[in-house]
Structures are given as structure tokens and as C-alpha cells.
Amino acid sequence: MAYQAKDLNYRGENCGVHNWITDGGQSFYWHPDWLHIAEEETGLYGKQKIEVEQGGEVTKGHAVHTILKKLNEILKGTDHE
């Protein structure tokens, strides 16, 4: 079973940093200035780069897509962190 957007609980935004958490308690963070999702609120420890078209603006939707991609890689055992 693959993770879907409904499996992420959006916890809101604080000082521009958005937070999602899985039912299993794994948190992901994103700020519009970051080009990655992070494992902690400061964004210093990135999890995965957000892929966006050249010249495109990174959105909250891109962050959700990247979180789901990361979770599904972990689920499949193909995570290369």
C-alpha cells in the first residue's frame, strides 16, 4: 500500500515553516525558501530535494508530492538517504 495525501496530517504553519505528520509520528517540514523537505523545523537537515520545473516556483503542493515520494521510497525499501 502506497502513501497518499490523505495519509499526511497537515499541522499548520509557524513562521513560514509548514509541518506535516504521518499517523506513525514521522514529521516533515517545508518553508517556501527551501528547495527540500526537512526532518526538523530549522530545515538544516534535508530529507529530499523538491523537484520543480526550471524557473518554476515551489509550492505547498510540490512539498506534499515530495513527502509522499520519500515515504513511498522508504516503504519500498529504495530509500538512499
Side-chain angles (χ1 to χ4, degrees), residues 9-55:
N9 301 305
Y10 182 64
R11 304 291 294 216
E13 175 264 331
N14 182 27
C15 298
V17 178
H18 298 264
N19 175 230
W20 293 263
I21 191 167
T22 66
D23 287 340
Q26 188 171 8
S27 290
F28 293 91
Y29 298 89
W30 171 73
H31 185 283
D33 292 341
W34 303 346
L35 298 177
H36 64 274
I37 55 172
E39 59 191 46
E40 44 71 61
E41 201 166 356
T42 67
L44 294 175
Y45 301 99
K47 283 239 174 228
Q48 187 160 328
K49 185 176 181 199
I50 296 175
E51 297 174 11
V52 65
E53 302 166 358
Q54 186 174 2

